[in-house]
Amino acid sequence: MQIYTTNSIPMNKRTILFYILFAFVLCAHAQWPKQGYQRVEFITQNIVRINFGVQPDYSPEGNATGVVLRKAGSQSFVKEKDNKKKHIYMSDSLIVEYDKATEAFTFKDKKTGKVLLSETNTGRAYARQANYRVLTTPVYDESSTRTVQSADGQKVEKDILRYDTIGHKWEFDVRFSWQKDEGIYGLGSHIEDYMNLRGKTQYLTQHNLKATVPVLTSTKGYGLLFDAGCAMTIIPFDMNNPESGADVTFESAKCQDYYFMKGHNLDAVVKQYRYLTGDSPMMPRYLFGYTQSKERYCSQQEVVDIVKEYRRRQVPLDMVVQDWNYWPEGWGYMHMDPKFYPDPKAMADSVHALNAKLMVSIWPNPQYCPQAEDFKKRGFMLEHSVYDAFSPAARDYYWSYADREFFSKGFDAWWCDCSEPLDGDWKNIPNYSHNNHKERYESTKKILSEALGEDRSNLYSLYHAMGIYENQRKASAEKRVVNLTRSSYAGQQRYSTITWNGDTYASWESFRKQIPGGLNFMASGCPYWSVDVGSFFTNGDRFRRWFYIGEFPKGCNDPAYREYYTRMFQWGTFLPMLRSHGSDTPREIWRFGEPGTPFYDAILDMIHLRYKMLPYTYSLAAKVTNEQYTMARLLAFDFANDTEVLDIKDEYMFGPAFLVCPVTEPEAKTRKVYLPKGCKWTNNWTGEEYAGGQWIDAATPINQIPLFVRQGSIVPMGPVLQYSSQKIDEPLEIKVYPGANADFTLYEDEGDNYNYEQGKSATIRFTWNDKTHTLTISDRKGSFEGMDNTRSFRINVIGKAEKTVIYEGKAQRISM
């Protein structure tokens, strides 16, 4: 192998460029070029970009996805060595070795010399390979235009006359070897029922039940961000030993572009990812209360009446949602039918008068309505009646509709449904099921590539979210952006999105699969994820469509569904957003019984707990924004050295304190729970104490989810509120779980504006010394309008002592 160096990049930047000559297998429709172009760039001491392309198409700018915000600067901290076998790059933290014979990179920890990750050429001639791809675009028969009704709304279809060649791209492959006892996580929210992704196949495209984020994180202390907008696959390269490593394929890109991110644990890796792609803004306090939704409320009066009924029953509520079909004509028209919604501003005002917020569903595919015709005339529409979110002008114009009809009239939050924005698997395909992952991948990749382009088929949601976020920020600083969306991508967390996992079906099997899907999504670096509590489809086989396979046709009138809903609600209480939603059956609390009946009371208990946890949860949200934390955490975040946890699918941590163990079997009286090693645990309900590193049988009465607290935790708890901004003159309970030292920082601000960005917030740090049994309360740092200068704290050392103290912002040391 012959290596050439070039000075095309100024040497004072010390950016390393070299040519690699390699041979290709000939393709029938292409003449293979003979030069590859390799680029190695350090972004920081811990992050390095590996970029490979083929001349003459290669560009050092990469695939132009818009995912990465931080680019390489001076490389003066990088040292180089060269010998016959290797070219070596070193920062103070990281060693990157390039093997000249195999063309493979190896990444090592500088301090220890240990290998973190290696590329491999096993089974191929080269560590990376490029295959020429001809790009085509469909030419449609406009006279065949027709509308079809799907479960996802009306869709425009046309017959394809032919495919015209429009250019070419490249398919790139790179292989990685995994280490022994390594947990691999991430890639977004999927339905394959995988926790540890080692040895698994994942198809990375967007559709209703898959939110792709091309990020892997490892318990060995690194992460990978694959920076391309095309469909990708990650497949074991040795099926005889699938856990040995994976082949990553970019299906249509200008170059192979990825970032290696070193971190000593998963939190540190996530921090590196957000450094590259952007911080997650502070969500408003109301998001961490309870949100009521269903498919759908049908009038202005019904929306207001739902909130009134929650208030009458004194069941806490923070937001109500108006779902689709509020428009007077067509599909996806951002205009409310005056027959049923005569005064949208009055509706928002009425909801606000009841101390609640209002979310509205908006869609990217207006059809057969004035909005669609307006967008077409301006050149703002793509095929399949999807507005062009890649165009800044089209994004701004889309916002003008949303602002005029909703935001300017007081609506608070967005539900950006169908943000894939097309799905190839809604039709009745023979022998098609939730488990046909490859077939789903192929059908959805095809339709997204036709409408959006192969090289950006995964990017739509990112740009759609960008338009909402940036335009609302320009319009007002008084409301934080909230965007509940069905799709996601790397970098989307910077646009204040919460992704939910799509139109799931109600079955215990589906419930079980959703848990690892969400945990992997949040391990990808996107911290906010949610579900339709109760699942979307409850009926089965109504139209003989593969997705309509819910197992509870009687809905909330069926005691079996009431149990299912209650168990999902208990799980949802410990997710970043708690939201009930779905089709086929109502979802309000009174549909599941009346006060004094088991399901009603169990649901109410969880809502009460959700509101009591607000000081804890909102402080975790601040930790997400300020410290790049992950709120709902698969067990490897905190217990990476305990190999027992690496593939546990149905337990996770909610913040540093709570071990959450959802009940995913019907009529369960107990469930097996693993208590991770390295600490002791306290049963939240009974106060029983357990050593870590063991499996136990935990009781599962219908009103309880198995919940354990790590000893050495501090949990601030408030009173039960009717809404998140309610002021009640009661002490804040500071629950201390002794057994180890502990600390926790309480965060507070105004709750729903961007003043926190100017430092208008306050923190109080609580520190527990387990040896001396003393709690230290720090000086308050910061202030904000409306802050309580004097506070009452009820210190509760679990199982030991209680004491109430008055706090006026100055440090105190309390002996317990």
Side-chain angles (χ1 to χ4, degrees):
M1 185 62 60
Q2 195 171 6
I3 304 294
Y4 295 89
T5 60
T6 177
N7 293 329
S8 61
I9 298 295
M11 290 303 291
N12 62 353
K13 291 188 177 180
R14 297 188 60 78
T15 302
I16 314 305
L17 296 175
F18 52 89
Y19 284 101
I20 307 165
L21 298 181
F22 56 90
F24 289 101
V25 177
L26 289 179
C27 179
H29 57 261
Q31 181 178 356
W32 292 97
K34 295 182 179 180
Q35 287 187 327
Y37 202 55
Q38 183 71 58
R39 188 181 185 93
V40 178
E41 288 182 320
F42 277 77
I43 311 301
T44 69
Q45 299 276 359
N46 293 298
I47 303 173
V48 63
R49 178 191 181 206
I50 305 298
N51 176 262
F52 168 72
V54 178
Q55 296 288 17
D57 301 303
Y58 172 79
S59 167
E61 296 303 312
N63 293 307
T65 62
V67 166
V68 173
L69 301 179
R70 308 274 189 169
K71 302 296 184 181
S74 169
Q75 303 287 291
S76 60
F77 61 85
V78 181
K79 298 178 182 179
E80 300 170 50
K81 292 182 181 180
D82 189 64
N83 57 46
K84 290 183 178 180
K85 293 184 177 180
K86 294 181 180 180
H87 200 99
I88 302 170
Y89 313 89
M90 292 179 290
S91 71
D92 290 343
S93 175
L94 189 61
I95 299 172
V96 180
E97 295 180 350
Y98 175 78
D99 189 303
K100 295 177 182 179
T102 66
E103 302 179 7
F105 284 97
T106 297
F107 305 90
K108 295 181 177 179
D109 185 290
K110 175 71 178 300
K111 183 177 180 180
T112 65
K114 291 183 178 179
V115 172
L116 300 171
L117 176 68
S118 293
E119 292 184 350
T120 180
N121 67 333
T122 303
R124 287 196 178 170
Y126 305 104
R128 58 188 54 73
Q129 180 172 322
N131 294 325
Y132 187 82
R133 288 177 54 83
V134 172
L135 293 184
T136 61
T137 187
V139 177
Y140 293 94
D141 179 1
E142 297 296 331
S143 66
S144 70
T145 301
R146 57 193 178 274
T147 302
V148 296
Q149 183 68 37
S150 80
D152 212 24
Q154 293 177 351
K155 304 294 182 184
V156 172
E157 287 190 353
K158 305 174 187 176
D159 294 335
I160 295 175
L161 293 173
R162 67 181 185 277
Y163 288 89
D164 285 351
T165 299
I166 59 172
H168 69 271
K169 284 290 189 297
W170 297 87
E171 177 187 288
F172 293 95
D173 292 277
V174 60
R175 292 184 167 188
F176 300 99
S177 292
W178 310 136
Q179 298 184 52
K180 182 181 179 182
D181 295 332
E182 181 174 10
I184 303 291
Y185 307 103
L187 299 183
S189 173
H190 302 275
I191 57 171
E192 286 86 342
D193 196 26
Y194 300 153
M195 186 71 265
N196 188 350
L197 300 179
R198 181 175 181 154
K200 308 299 194 299
T201 294
Q202 279 284 26
Y203 298 99
L204 301 188
T205 190
Q206 312 287 8
H207 67 64
N208 186 297
L209 293 162
K210 290 173 78 73
T212 288
V213 181
V215 175
L216 286 175
T217 54
S218 167
T219 55
K220 294 301 181 182
Y222 69 86
L224 294 168
L225 164 60
F226 302 106
D227 190 12
C230 61
M232 305 179 205
T233 58
I234 298 183
I235 298 174
F237 61 72
D238 182 359
M239 289 303 177
N240 293 318
N241 185 15
E243 294 195 0
S244 62
D247 185 2
V248 180
T249 300
F250 296 36
E251 292 220 356
S252 182
K254 294 178 181 177
C255 60
Q256 179 196 103
D257 209 0
Y258 74 85
Y259 293 80
F260 178 91
M261 305 170 290
K262 179 194 168 190
H264 62 278
N265 58 23
L266 291 181
D267 278 312
V269 172
V270 167
K271 187 173 184 178
Q272 306 291 3
Y273 159 78
R274 294 200 197 136
Y275 175 84
L276 282 174
T277 64
D279 297 342
S280 180
M282 190 73 188
M283 289 290 180
R285 184 176 168 90
Y286 71 77
L287 187 79
F288 304 103
Y290 173 55
T291 296
Q292 180 62 59
S293 179
K294 76 168 185 178
E295 197 280 302
R296 67 183 173 91
Y297 299 123
C298 297
S299 71
Q300 175 174 330
Q301 190 61 51
E302 185 180 12
V303 168
V304 176
D305 286 346
I306 289 294
V307 183
K308 285 182 177 179
E309 183 63 15
Y310 270 89
R311 294 289 179 251
R312 186 189 73 80
R313 290 172 176 266
Q314 295 189 308
V315 176
L317 177 72
D318 257 277
M319 186 155 59
V320 66
V321 182
Q322 174 60 59
D323 199 357
W324 64 359
N325 274 333
Y326 52 75
W327 40 78
E329 58 182 305
W331 181 265
Y333 184 15
M334 281 189 278
H335 182 68
M336 305 201 88
D337 187 342
K339 180 178 179 180
F340 301 103
Y341 304 89
D343 192 340
K345 184 180 186 304
M347 178 169 70
D349 290 345
S350 297
V351 170
H352 293 160
L354 293 164
N355 297 297
K357 305 294 184 182
L358 180 58
M359 174 182 277
V360 65
S361 167
I362 58 175
W363 296 67
N365 53 344
Q367 299 163 52
Y368 302 108
C369 63
Q371 181 184 341
E373 295 305 313
D374 189 11
F375 272 64
K376 287 178 185 176
K377 288 177 183 177
R378 297 173 185 271
F380 291 161
M381 293 291 271
L382 302 171
E383 284 294 343
H384 299 278
S385 300
V386 174
Y387 97 93
D388 186 1
F390 300 108
S391 161
R395 292 196 299 269
D396 291 349
Y397 202 61
Y398 185 88
W399 168 259
S400 72
Y401 272 82
D403 182 33
R404 180 169 57 250
E405 184 68 5
F406 301 120
F407 192 69
S408 66
K409 295 176 181 177
F411 286 57
D412 304 285
W414 309 104
W415 179 6
C416 288
D417 209 337
C418 199
S419 53
E420 296 81 23
L422 298 163
D423 210 310
D425 59 8
W426 279 118
K427 295 181 180 179
N428 183 22
I429 301 173
N431 303 316
Y432 202 45
S433 77
H434 275 263
N435 296 319
N436 288 354
H437 305 302
K438 185 175 182 180
E439 188 172 355
R440 168 179 285 121
Y441 171 74
E442 295 294 343
S443 65
T444 301
K445 178 183 67 173
K446 182 177 184 293
I447 193 170
L448 287 173
S449 295
E450 289 174 356
L452 310 179
E454 286 188 14
D455 60 338
R456 60 182 192 180
S457 62
N458 270 334
L459 293 175
Y460 191 90
S461 183
L462 175 68
Y463 283 85
H464 186 32
M466 178 196 297
I468 297 296
Y469 180 83
E470 291 182 347
N471 279 291
Q472 183 176 321
R473 290 301 307 266
K474 291 176 187 176
S476 174
E478 296 307 308
K479 289 183 179 180
R480 296 178 193 169
V481 179
V482 171
N483 177 354
L484 178 66
T485 183
R486 199 170 70 188
S487 189
S488 190
Y489 208 62
Q492 192 167 299
Q493 76 283 343
R494 66 181 181 251
Y495 299 130
S496 208
T497 57
I498 313 103
T499 300
W500 98 99
N501 61 339
D503 295 340
T504 54
Y505 64 96
S507 79
W508 292 96
E509 178 190 23
S510 170
F511 182 0
R512 288 189 288 272
K513 289 180 177 180
Q514 292 177 52
I515 299 169
L519 294 175
N520 268 312
F521 180 88
M522 291 177 280
S524 306
C526 299
Y528 290 105
W529 185 83
S530 183
V531 298
D532 292 345
V533 168
S535 298
F536 187 75
F537 295 112
T538 62
N539 290 347
D541 205 32
R542 194 168 65 175
F543 301 111
R544 301 190 63 80
R545 295 182 293 190
W546 65 268
F547 50 84
Y548 227 124
I549 52 176
E551 297 179 357
F552 304 98
K554 295 181 181 179
C556 59
N557 294 320
D558 182 351
Y561 180 69
R562 294 186 178 194
E563 179 192 9
Y564 177 83
Y565 180 90
T566 300
R567 293 305 194 186
M568 280 201 78
F569 203 103
Q570 291 167 344
W571 169 44
T573 300
F574 296 93
L575 291 176
M577 182 182 188
L578 171 60
R579 165 181 160 272
S580 174
H581 181 72
S583 185
D584 307 326
T585 190
R587 307 298 170 114
E588 299 82 22
I589 186 173
W590 53 89
R591 312 294 186 179
F592 297 87
E594 289 295 331
T597 59
F599 299 115
Y600 184 103
D601 287 355
I603 294 167
L604 183 61
D605 286 349
M606 287 297 105
I607 297 176
H608 284 171
L609 179 57
R610 178 79 176 185
Y611 279 82
K612 291 174 69 176
M613 288 195 303
L614 271 172
Y616 175 77
T617 309
Y618 197 58
S619 297
L620 296 183
K623 197 172 173 69
V624 167
T625 297
N626 299 326
E627 302 177 36
Q628 316 311 323
Y629 190 67
T630 300
M631 184 184 300
R633 312 155 58 78
L634 56 85
L635 295 179
F637 270 93
D638 297 280
F639 308 101
N641 294 325
D642 186 348
T643 57
E644 187 74 17
V645 311
L646 297 185
D647 202 33
I648 291 180
K649 302 176 183 179
D650 59 354
E651 299 180 26
Y652 64 98
M653 295 297 294
F654 188 66
F658 292 107
L659 176 66
V660 183
C661 311
V663 179
T664 61
E665 298 284 349
E667 301 180 356
K669 299 297 186 289
T670 64
R671 65 149 286 179
K672 294 285 187 183
V673 167
Y674 180 72
L675 301 173
K677 65 175 64 172
C679 59
K680 294 182 178 179
W681 298 91
T682 298
N683 186 312
N684 181 75
W685 311 112
T686 67
E688 294 176 271
E689 298 183 356
Y690 300 88
Q694 64 170 321
W695 288 90
I696 65 169
D697 289 319
T700 57
I702 191 60
N703 64 334
Q704 289 181 10
I705 180 174
L707 187 66
F708 296 83
V709 186
R710 177 162 43 181
Q711 292 189 5
S713 295
I714 297 174
V715 180
M717 300 282 275
V720 173
L721 305 174
Q722 292 302 299
Y723 48 92
S724 61
S725 60
Q726 185 180 19
K727 297 288 187 180
I728 294 180
D729 187 20
E730 290 186 18
L732 191 68
E733 183 181 16
I734 309 299
K735 301 180 77 170
V736 178
Y737 291 83
N741 294 338
D743 70 85
F744 189 87
T745 299
L746 177 69
Y747 173 91
E748 297 173 310
D749 64 18
E750 293 170 48
D752 186 17
N753 56 43
Y754 285 98
N755 290 341
Y756 76 89
E757 294 181 339
Q758 283 72 52
K760 294 183 179 179
S761 61
T763 59
I764 303 169
R765 185 181 181 190
F766 298 86
T767 307
W768 171 254
N769 186 312
D770 200 59
K771 183 176 181 180
T772 63
H773 272 236
T774 57
L775 181 74
T776 300
I777 309 176
S778 72
D779 289 334
R780 181 192 289 120
K781 293 183 179 180
S783 64
F784 59 92
E785 186 175 345
M787 182 182 75
D788 293 327
N789 291 309
T790 301
R791 306 288 297 275
S792 177
F793 294 136
R794 186 171 76 252
I795 314 301
N796 179 3
V797 181
I798 302 300
K800 306 295 182 182
E802 289 191 29
K803 185 179 293 186
T804 299
V805 300
I806 302 301
Y807 175 78
E808 296 181 331
K810 298 299 181 182
Q812 295 186 38
R813 189 169 181 267
I814 301 131
S815 176
M816 299 297 292

